[in-house]
Coordinates of all heavy atoms in Angstrom, one line a residue:
K257 N -12.7 16.4 62.0 CA -13.2 15.8 60.8 C -12.9 16.6 59.6 O -13.1 16.1 58.5 CB -14.7 15.6 60.9 CG -15.1 14.6 62.1 CD -16.6 14.5 62.2 CE -17.0 13.7 63.4 NZ -18.4 13.6 63.6
L258 N -12.4 17.8 59.8 CA -12.1 18.7 58.6 C -10.6 19.0 58.5 O -9.9 19.0 59.5 CB -12.8 20.1 58.9 CG -14.3 20.1 59.1 CD1 -14.7 21.5 59.6 CD2 -15.0 19.7 57.9
P259 N -10.2 19.2 57.3 CA -8.8 19.5 57.1 C -8.5 20.9 57.8 O -9.4 21.8 57.7 CB -8.6 19.7 55.6 CG -9.8 19.0 55.0 CD -10.9 19.0 56.0
P260 N -7.4 21.0 58.6 CA -7.2 22.3 59.3 C -7.3 23.5 58.5 O -7.7 24.6 59.0 CB -5.8 22.1 59.9 CG -5.6 20.6 60.0 CD -6.4 20.1 58.8
E261 N -6.9 23.5 57.2 CA -6.9 24.7 56.4 C -8.2 25.0 55.8 O -8.4 26.0 55.1 CB -5.8 24.6 55.3 CG -6.0 23.5 54.3 CD -5.6 22.1 54.8 OE1 -5.0 21.9 55.8 OE2 -6.0 21.1 54.1
S262 N -9.2 24.1 56.0 CA -10.5 24.3 55.4 C -11.5 25.2 56.2 O -12.6 25.4 55.8 CB -11.2 23.0 55.1 OG -11.6 22.3 56.3
Y263 N -11.1 25.6 57.4 CA -12.0 26.4 58.2 C -11.2 27.4 59.0 O -10.0 27.3 59.2 CB -12.8 25.5 59.2 CG -12.0 24.9 60.3 CD1 -11.7 25.5 61.5 CD2 -11.4 23.6 60.1 CE1 -10.9 25.0 62.5 CE2 -10.7 23.0 61.1 CZ -10.4 23.7 62.3 OH -9.7 23.1 63.3
E264 N -12.0 28.4 59.5 CA -11.4 29.4 60.4 C -12.4 29.8 61.4 O -13.6 30.0 61.1 CB -11.1 30.7 59.5 CG -10.6 31.8 60.3 CD -10.3 33.1 59.5 OE1 -10.4 33.0 58.3 OE2 -10.1 34.1 60.1
L265 N -12.0 29.8 62.7 CA -12.9 30.2 63.7 C -13.1 31.8 63.6 O -12.1 32.5 63.8 CB -12.4 29.8 65.1 CG -12.3 28.3 65.4 CD1 -11.8 28.1 66.7 CD2 -13.6 27.6 65.2
A266 N -14.3 32.2 63.4 CA -14.5 33.6 63.1 C -15.3 34.3 64.2 O -15.6 35.5 64.2 CB -15.2 33.8 61.8
G267 N -15.8 33.5 65.2 CA -16.6 34.0 66.3 C -17.3 32.9 67.0 O -17.4 31.8 66.6
M268 N -17.9 33.3 68.1 CA -18.7 32.4 68.9 C -20.0 33.1 69.3 O -19.9 34.3 69.7 CB -18.0 31.9 70.1 CG -18.7 30.9 71.0 SD -17.6 30.2 72.2 CE -18.8 29.5 73.3
I269 N -21.1 32.5 69.2 CA -22.4 33.1 69.7 C -22.8 32.3 70.9 O -22.6 31.1 71.1 CB -23.5 33.1 68.6 CG1 -23.8 31.7 68.1 CG2 -23.1 34.0 67.4 CD1 -24.9 31.6 67.1
W270 N -23.5 33.0 71.8 CA -23.9 32.5 73.1 C -25.3 32.9 73.4 O -25.6 34.1 73.5 CB -22.9 33.0 74.1 CG -23.0 32.4 75.5 CD1 -23.6 33.0 76.6 CD2 -22.6 31.2 75.9 NE1 -23.5 32.2 77.7 CE2 -22.9 31.0 77.3 CE3 -22.0 30.1 75.3 CZ2 -22.6 29.9 78.0 CZ3 -21.7 29.0 76.0 CH2 -22.0 28.9 77.4
V271 N -26.2 31.9 73.6 CA -27.6 32.2 74.0 C -27.8 31.3 75.3 O -28.1 30.1 75.2 CB -28.6 31.7 72.9 CG1 -30.0 32.0 73.4 CG2 -28.3 32.5 71.6
Q272 N -27.5 31.9 76.4 CA -27.7 31.2 77.7 C -27.8 32.3 78.8 O -27.2 33.4 78.7 CB -26.5 30.3 77.9 CG -26.6 29.4 79.1 CD -26.1 29.9 80.4 OE1 -25.4 30.9 80.4 NE2 -26.5 29.3 81.5
G273 N -28.4 32.0 79.9 CA -28.6 32.9 81.0 C -29.9 32.7 81.7 O -30.0 33.1 82.9
E274 N -30.8 32.1 81.1 CA -32.1 31.9 81.7 C -32.1 31.0 82.9 O -32.6 31.3 84.0 CB -33.2 31.4 80.7 CG -33.5 32.5 79.6 CD -34.1 31.9 78.4 OE1 -33.7 30.8 78.0 OE2 -35.0 32.5 77.8
S275 N -31.4 29.9 82.8 CA -31.3 28.9 83.9 C -30.5 29.5 85.1 O -30.7 29.1 86.2 CB -30.8 27.6 83.5 OG -29.4 27.7 83.0
D276 N -29.7 30.4 84.8 CA -28.9 31.1 85.9 C -29.6 32.2 86.5 O -29.1 32.9 87.4 CB -27.6 31.6 85.3 CG -26.6 30.5 84.9 OD1 -26.5 29.5 85.7 OD2 -26.1 30.5 83.8
S277 N -30.8 32.5 86.0 CA -31.6 33.7 86.4 C -32.6 33.4 87.6 O -33.0 34.3 88.3 CB -32.3 34.3 85.3 OG -31.4 34.8 84.3
G278 N -33.0 32.2 87.7 CA -34.0 31.8 88.6 C -33.5 31.4 90.0 O -32.4 31.6 90.3
N279 N -34.4 30.9 90.7 CA -34.1 30.4 92.1 C -33.9 28.9 92.1 O -33.6 28.4 93.2 CB -35.2 30.8 93.0 CG -35.3 32.3 93.2 OD1 -34.4 33.0 93.1 ND2 -36.6 32.8 93.4
K280 N -34.0 28.2 91.0 CA -33.9 26.8 91.0 C -32.6 26.3 91.6 O -32.5 25.3 92.3 CB -34.1 26.3 89.5 CG -34.1 24.8 89.4 CD -34.3 24.3 88.0 CE -34.3 22.8 87.9 NZ -34.6 22.4 86.5
Y281 N -31.5 27.0 91.3 CA -30.2 26.7 91.7 C -29.7 27.7 92.8 O -28.5 27.7 93.0 CB -29.2 26.6 90.6 CG -29.6 25.6 89.5 CD1 -30.1 26.0 88.3 CD2 -29.6 24.2 89.8 CE1 -30.5 25.1 87.3 CE2 -30.0 23.3 88.8 CZ -30.4 23.7 87.6 OH -30.9 22.8 86.7
G282 N -30.5 28.4 93.4 CA -30.1 29.5 94.3 C -29.7 30.7 93.6 O -29.8 30.9 92.4
F283 N -29.1 31.6 94.4 CA -28.8 32.9 93.9 C -27.3 33.0 93.3 O -27.0 33.9 92.6 CB -28.9 34.0 95.0 CG -30.3 34.2 95.4 CD1 -30.8 33.7 96.6 CD2 -31.2 34.9 94.6 CE1 -32.1 33.9 97.0 CE2 -32.5 35.1 94.9 CZ -33.0 34.6 96.1
L284 N -26.5 32.0 93.6 CA -25.1 32.0 93.2 C -24.9 32.1 91.7 O -24.1 32.9 91.3 CB -24.4 30.7 93.8 CG -22.9 30.7 93.6 CD1 -22.2 31.9 94.3 CD2 -22.3 29.4 94.1
P285 N -25.7 31.3 90.9 CA -25.5 31.5 89.4 C -25.6 32.9 88.9 O -24.8 33.3 88.1 CB -26.5 30.5 88.8 CG -26.7 29.5 89.9 CD -26.6 30.3 91.2
S286 N -26.7 33.6 89.3 CA -26.9 34.9 88.8 C -25.9 35.9 89.4 O -25.4 36.8 88.7 CB -28.3 35.4 89.0 OG -28.6 35.4 90.4
E287 N -25.5 35.7 90.6 CA -24.5 36.6 91.3 C -23.1 36.4 90.6 O -22.4 37.4 90.6 CB -24.4 36.2 92.8 CG -25.6 36.5 93.6 CD -25.9 38.0 93.8 OE1 -25.0 38.8 93.7 OE2 -27.1 38.3 94.1
T288 N -22.8 35.3 90.2 CA -21.4 35.0 89.6 C -21.4 35.0 88.1 O -20.4 34.6 87.5 CB -20.9 33.7 90.2 OG1 -21.7 32.6 89.9 CG2 -20.7 33.8 91.7
Y289 N -22.6 35.3 87.4 CA -22.6 35.1 86.0 C -21.6 35.9 85.2 O -20.9 35.4 84.3 CB -24.0 35.4 85.4 CG -24.2 35.0 84.0 CD1 -24.7 33.7 83.8 CD2 -23.9 35.8 83.0 CE1 -24.8 33.3 82.5 CE2 -24.0 35.4 81.7 CZ -24.5 34.1 81.4 OH -24.6 33.7 80.1
G290 N -21.4 37.2 85.6 CA -20.4 38.0 84.9 C -19.0 37.4 85.0 O -18.3 37.4 84.0
E291 N -18.7 37.0 86.2 CA -17.3 36.4 86.4 C -17.2 35.1 85.6 O -16.2 34.9 84.9 CB -17.2 36.1 87.9 CG -15.9 35.4 88.3 CD -15.9 35.1 89.8 OE1 -16.5 35.8 90.6 OE2 -15.4 34.0 90.1
N292 N -18.2 34.3 85.6 CA -18.2 33.0 84.9 C -18.1 33.2 83.4 O -17.4 32.5 82.7 CB -19.3 32.2 85.3 CG -19.2 31.7 86.7 OD1 -18.1 31.6 87.3 ND2 -20.3 31.4 87.4

Side-chain angles (χ1 to χ4, degrees):
K257 297 175 184 178
L258 302 169
E261 65 281 348
S262 71
Y263 68 88
E264 176 183 350
L265 296 179
M268 182 169 164
I269 59 175
W270 187 255
V271 180
Q272 191 270 344
E274 292 161 320
S275 62
D276 292 310
S277 295
N279 294 327
K280 184 176 181 180
Y281 302 108
F283 294 104
L284 188 61
S286 61
E287 295 287 338
T288 59
Y289 192 88
E291 176 186 324
N292 290 335

